[in-house]
Amino acid sequence: MSLSNPWFVVALVGIVGWFHLKLIADFLNLSRLGNEVPDSMQDVVTPENRERTIAYQSSVARLDVIDDGIGLATTLGLWWSGAFGWLDGKAASVGWGAIGNGLWLIGVLFLASSLIGLPMDLWRTFGVETEFGFNKTSLRTFLLDRLKGLLLAAVLGLPLLALVLWIFEHSPLAALWSWLLVSAWGLLMTWLAPRFIMPLFHKFEPMPEGELRQAILALAERLKFSVADISVIDGSRRSTKANAFFAGFGKTRRIALFDTLIQGHTTDEIVAVLAHEIGHAKLGHVPRQIIVGLLLSGLMFGLLHVGLHDERLFSAFGVMYPSFAMGMVLFMIVYSPWSRLFDPLVSLLSRKHEFEADRFAAEAVGSPGPLISALKKLSHDHLAHLTPHPFYVWLHYSHPPLTERLAALART
Ligand SMILES: [Zn+2]
């Protein structure tokens, strides 16, 4: 471990730099919480709502900073105490063969990081979110969700990981094959998730006959958008925050709406929100996002190939005997803060898509009015920051700030 090792320097600058970048963004964003309410939001923001927004956003920011601090301390602590070298020795003595030992190593680290993150997750859900009336989940549901998540990660993740490790043990072109395999796996998951995985956590029920269902079907027909079924998700069992989403490709599209969205909005508003989502599908946004994602993961696998064949990656973390599994872990520690540099680029594309989908929705329902009022309500109800700092937006937002969306909609 020394400054003459490039991996050591790149890891240190990345981990510490990313922490400080986020910290600066958090403080800049907090400093604008007290700014005047934008004109476009004056009609929905009451003084009481304003006060609650400031209190909520401050609590969330404090939690984020503490969470990031714990993450930084844990990573540096494990790194500089020599824990990776020690763990590598333990994994080698498990005696399950190269792939089995690798699965053990990554499994143990994954479990440990889940446990380390648990107290902050508990505080977020049962502290902040409960205090501001968003949380509806019970401790039992919360813990069951975590347990199901861990089991799913084991059932779905371990076979994939075993396959990737096997490829790395056997092929000089392993990075390329793994990239193709993981990409195919990811596409399969986007198909599987709404059908088999989300129902493990939420109850999906067919939307009952009535005005809303008729209005949604009429919209879909007008836009020539085939819908396989419309369901309602019991989001209110966990949180009062509202959402809508689409799932599926081609002819089997399912529309799923959170019950919380239905409860708080008029039919016109819900139809406008759905028109926005249909806009994403009609305008070809999803394949474009997938292609960008594939290119970025291709870059990652290319760099992983370089890292796995460079002993200095291992010595930077005090690991004596290079193995593929440990190499992947160490590479991800080095790479993940740097990969965040691409987030703003991905968000730039995503923000452009949001504006396009908004315009599509306004045209589809014949007026920007319903979407404007739906967006205002969501922002009001979720206690959203009304004047986020541009640097924070650049770093974190995948959607444009509300005021920009409202301004663009008002121009249509
Ligand atoms: Zn959107």
Side-chain angles (χ1 to χ4, degrees):
M1 286 194 245
S2 82
L3 289 175
S4 62
N5 184 333
W7 289 98
F8 183 91
V9 177
V10 169
L12 189 61
V13 172
I15 291 165
V16 177
W18 172 242
F19 173 78
H20 283 92
L21 217 58
K22 273 173 85 179
L23 199 63
I24 292 168
D26 282 331
F27 279 113
L28 288 174
N29 207 35
L30 276 178
S31 74
R32 289 171 58 115
L33 255 185
N35 281 16
E36 226 171 290
V37 176
D39 285 342
S40 53
M41 287 296 288
Q42 290 281 2
D43 55 335
V44 288
V45 177
T46 61
E48 191 238 341
N49 175 260
R50 175 123 183 87
E51 228 168 83
R52 267 166 54 78
T53 299
I54 292 175
Y56 177 63
Q57 290 294 334
S58 309
S59 299
V60 169
R62 184 169 56 217
L63 198 70
D64 285 342
V65 169
I66 295 173
D67 206 359
D68 290 342
I70 293 174
L72 179 72
T74 311
T75 308
L76 295 183
L78 284 175
W79 185 3
W80 292 343
S81 67
F84 290 110
W86 175 80
L87 203 62
D88 195 52
K90 286 275 162 209
S93 64
V94 173
W96 293 349
I99 293 167
N101 294 352
L103 291 179
W104 182 91
L105 174 78
I106 293 176
V108 165
L109 280 170
F110 183 76
L111 264 180
S113 79
S114 305
L115 281 177
I116 290 170
L118 191 61
M120 290 306 286
D121 282 353
L122 283 167
W123 185 11
R124 197 177 290 276
T125 306
F126 296 100
V128 178
E129 295 289 302
T130 301
E131 187 189 334
F132 288 89
F134 291 128
N135 177 45
K136 292 288 168 228
T137 199
S138 65
L139 186 62
R140 185 172 172 272
T141 308
F142 178 90
L143 291 175
L144 263 177
D145 281 355
R146 298 296 137 138
L147 203 63
K148 283 187 225 168
L150 276 179
L151 284 174
L152 263 176
V155 170
L156 298 172
L158 286 178
L160 177 70
L161 186 59
L163 211 53
V164 168
L165 287 173
W166 184 85
I167 295 173
F168 271 97
E169 295 287 344
H170 289 89
S171 166
L173 285 176
L176 178 65
W177 298 126
S178 302
W179 176 49
L180 294 175
L181 177 70
V182 170
S183 302
W185 190 269
L187 287 178
L188 182 69
M189 282 303 134
T190 52
W191 185 84
L192 279 177
R195 282 168 184 74
F196 302 104
I197 299 176
M198 279 201 65
L200 296 176
F201 295 89
H202 289 286
K203 214 187 282 162
F204 284 64
E205 275 180 354
M207 180 177 283
E209 290 296 334
E211 188 211 352
L212 180 59
R213 192 184 168 89
Q214 287 311 315
I216 292 172
L217 289 174
L219 172 82
E221 176 148 350
R222 207 162 63 239
L223 298 175
K224 301 200 175 15
F225 185 83
S226 63
V227 174
D229 64 55
I230 310 174
S231 26
V232 179
I233 310 173
D234 61 341
S236 59
R237 270 187 58 219
R238 288 180 175 75
S239 169
T240 61
K241 290 185 175 173
N243 214 336
F245 82 97
F246 269 97
F249 300 114
K251 296 220 176 300
T252 57
R253 289 189 183 102
R254 306 176 73 182
I255 293 179
L257 291 167
F258 276 79
D259 53 0
T260 38
L261 182 75
I262 297 172
Q263 283 150 16
H265 294 79
T266 66
T267 299
D268 282 349
E269 288 166 349
I270 296 168
V271 167
V273 169
L274 283 177
H276 168 102
E277 299 298 332
I278 292 177
H280 281 309
K282 282 271 171 187
L283 299 169
H285 292 165
V286 183
R288 263 178 254 175
Q289 302 267 13
I290 290 177
I291 289 171
V292 172
L294 290 183
L295 290 177
L296 286 177
S297 75
L299 175 71
M300 187 201 78
F301 274 104
L303 293 170
L304 172 67
H305 178 85
V306 176
L308 289 177
H309 294 89
D310 188 344
E311 273 188 26
R312 290 173 300 180
L313 169 64
F314 297 87
S315 58
F317 288 88
V319 173
M320 310 269 280
Y321 307 103
S323 71
F324 286 117
M326 182 51 99
M328 285 176 197
V329 171
L330 300 180
F331 173 78
M332 286 318 293
I333 293 173
V334 181
Y335 181 70
S336 47
W338 289 102
S339 75
R340 308 305 292 264
L341 288 179
F342 303 120
D343 287 358
L345 293 176
V346 176
S347 303
L348 216 59
L349 180 70
S350 152
R351 290 211 280 271
K352 178 174 168 285
H353 288 166
E354 290 309 315
F355 284 124
E356 287 174 11
D358 281 349
R359 193 168 346 115
F360 180 94
E363 280 163 15
V365 301
S367 136
L371 189 57
I372 288 179
S373 69
L375 288 174
K376 283 187 183 185
K377 259 191 207 173
L378 287 169
S379 161
H380 170 274
D381 296 350
H382 292 184
L383 303 177
H385 196 323
L386 294 176
T387 49
H389 192 279
F391 182 61
Y392 190 91
V393 171
W394 186 76
L395 208 59
H396 291 295
Y397 274 38
S398 64
H399 284 52
L402 176 72
T403 48
E404 285 178 29
R405 289 178 77 178
L406 294 178
L409 273 168
R411 285 195 297 272
T412 56

